[in-house]
Amino acid sequence: SDGRWNKLTVAHGCYWKKCSFCDVSLDYISRYENASATELVNRIEAIVNETGQTGFHFVDEAAPPKALKTLATELLARDVSISWWGNIRFEKSFTPELAQLLAQSGCIAVSGGLEVASDRLLKLMKKGVSVEQVARVTKAFSDAGILVHAYLMYGFPTQTVQDTVDALEYVRQLFAAGCIQSGYFHRFACTVHSPVGKNPEEYGVTLLPLPEGGFAKNDIGFVDPSGVDHAMLGEALNKALYNYMHGIGLEQNVRSWFDQKVPRPSVPKLFIESALYGKSAKPHQKTG
């Protein structure tokens, strides 16, 4: 947001296309096509010559690790000097070695979805990652000098208050460990083209009738029998996150951000540290 960025895609669509909250049935997600590294760098050189700008934002749904590796190798081989960033999945394929290679090719930042920061809910939404994996991948990027922004989500079907408190504790630990530098909590919205919208019974929710007329039919209301007040929880999540991004309150008990009484986190105090460095952490140790 600090200037002009040339927009380009490494690949069209999403190579994963399984996430329950995503419009995976639509063409812009489901049809996956990618270009060769040679073609991409040819395009990059042409755009630089045309615009005089060397900053690139790859606007993929999720740029594939293999394609980014070949792109970085091609950029370095041809001595093309640019700054770039884009959206990825926190795949285990993003090793420390690959993160270093991407940084050498001009990568300055990545954004990716941690979403609900709960292994139970990540599995339910078919995200294909675990919190431990996200910790290791984001730390690899951060150690390479690449800024990491995490997309976060709350209000997913069956998400309890305990899940939400635990998610915030995971996020606190990720910030404290230097894994991520930025993030934003998005309220889950059900869309008619997503797996949740197409098969709500699999996620324990009931859909509301779509309103008559209107320009488009996309978001659809739903009833989650858990009855959790996600709007109230969201205020605390965003307040905490704003402070974490400024390095404030990282040692503070996460319950202090909530105006209402919430349960203690069930996440071990050293969970992220254990994921990164192999230190022991009891699975159900309370954090206070």
Side-chain angles (χ1 to χ4, degrees):
S1 61
D2 59 350
R4 172 173 173 167
W5 294 90
N6 297 312
K7 306 289 184 179
L8 199 61
T9 55
V10 176
H12 176 281
C14 179
Y15 64 93
W16 179 252
K17 54 189 174 190
K18 295 180 184 178
C19 296
S20 304
F21 57 85
C22 190
D23 291 337
V24 295
S25 62
L26 295 183
D27 180 79
Y28 83 98
I29 299 290
S30 64
R31 180 170 58 85
Y32 175 71
E33 298 173 350
N34 63 336
S36 70
T38 301
E39 288 177 295
L40 284 171
V41 178
N42 287 344
R43 292 172 188 170
I44 287 169
E45 288 188 314
I47 292 170
V48 171
N49 289 333
E50 181 182 337
T51 66
Q53 303 289 332
T54 57
F56 282 81
H57 175 202
F58 295 119
V59 294
D60 300 65
E61 296 299 321
K66 186 176 179 180
L68 289 178
K69 182 177 181 179
T70 57
L71 172 62
T73 302
E74 185 76 6
L75 287 168
L76 291 167
R78 289 165 58 169
D79 198 26
V80 176
S81 181
I82 63 170
S83 296
W84 63 270
W85 66 285
N87 195 47
I88 62 165
R89 297 183 72 253
F90 292 129
E91 298 274 9
K92 60 184 179 182
S93 306
F94 286 113
T95 61
E97 293 76 20
L98 180 52
Q100 290 288 345
L101 175 67
L102 299 183
Q104 290 167 16
S105 75
C107 179
I108 58 172
V110 293
S111 56
L114 171 54
E115 317 305 356
V116 287
S118 156
D119 284 337
R120 177 185 75 83
L121 291 172
L122 285 170
K123 186 176 180 180
L124 179 63
M125 65 167 52
K126 300 179 177 65
K127 187 68 185 177
V129 300
S130 67
V131 177
E132 283 192 357
Q133 180 177 313
V134 170
R136 288 189 285 267
V137 171
T138 52
K139 191 65 164 66
F141 280 114
S142 294
D143 286 349
I146 297 171
L147 296 172
V148 181
H149 174 86
Y151 294 117
L152 301 162
M153 185 185 295
Y154 67 101
F156 192 74
T158 75
Q159 184 170 358
T160 65
V161 175
Q162 183 72 65
D163 289 328
T164 302
V165 173
D166 287 351
L168 186 58
E169 174 60 18
Y170 282 130
V171 170
R172 182 194 69 78
Q173 291 186 30
L174 287 167
F175 271 98
C179 294
I180 59 179
Q181 292 76 45
S182 175
Y184 188 80
F185 270 105
H186 301 259
R187 175 75 180 266
F188 168 75
C190 181
T191 67
V192 295
H193 304 290
S194 69
V196 177
K198 287 184 170 295
N199 303 290
E201 65 283 353
E202 292 183 17
Y203 301 90
V205 297
T206 304
L207 301 184
L208 299 175
L210 283 166
E212 294 293 329
F215 174 72
K217 294 180 178 179
N218 188 43
D219 288 10
I220 183 169
F222 66 95
V223 177
D224 186 337
S226 66
V228 176
D229 187 348
H230 294 296
M232 187 179 297
L233 295 173
E235 293 181 15
L237 295 175
N238 285 302
K239 182 167 60 175
L241 200 60
Y242 177 83
N243 282 276
Y244 294 165
M245 287 191 287
H246 289 82
I248 300 169
L250 290 171
E251 300 303 319
Q252 195 171 311
N253 189 303
V254 294
R255 289 186 293 167
S256 64
W257 300 106
F258 296 89
D259 291 331
Q260 72 275 43
K261 187 176 181 179
V262 296
R264 294 190 298 168
S266 62
V267 179
K269 286 182 179 179
L270 301 179
F271 183 91
I272 297 300
E273 197 172 338
S274 174
L276 296 174
Y277 309 113
K279 296 183 180 180
S280 61
K282 296 177 182 178
H284 300 295
Q285 175 187 339
K286 294 288 186 177
T287 58

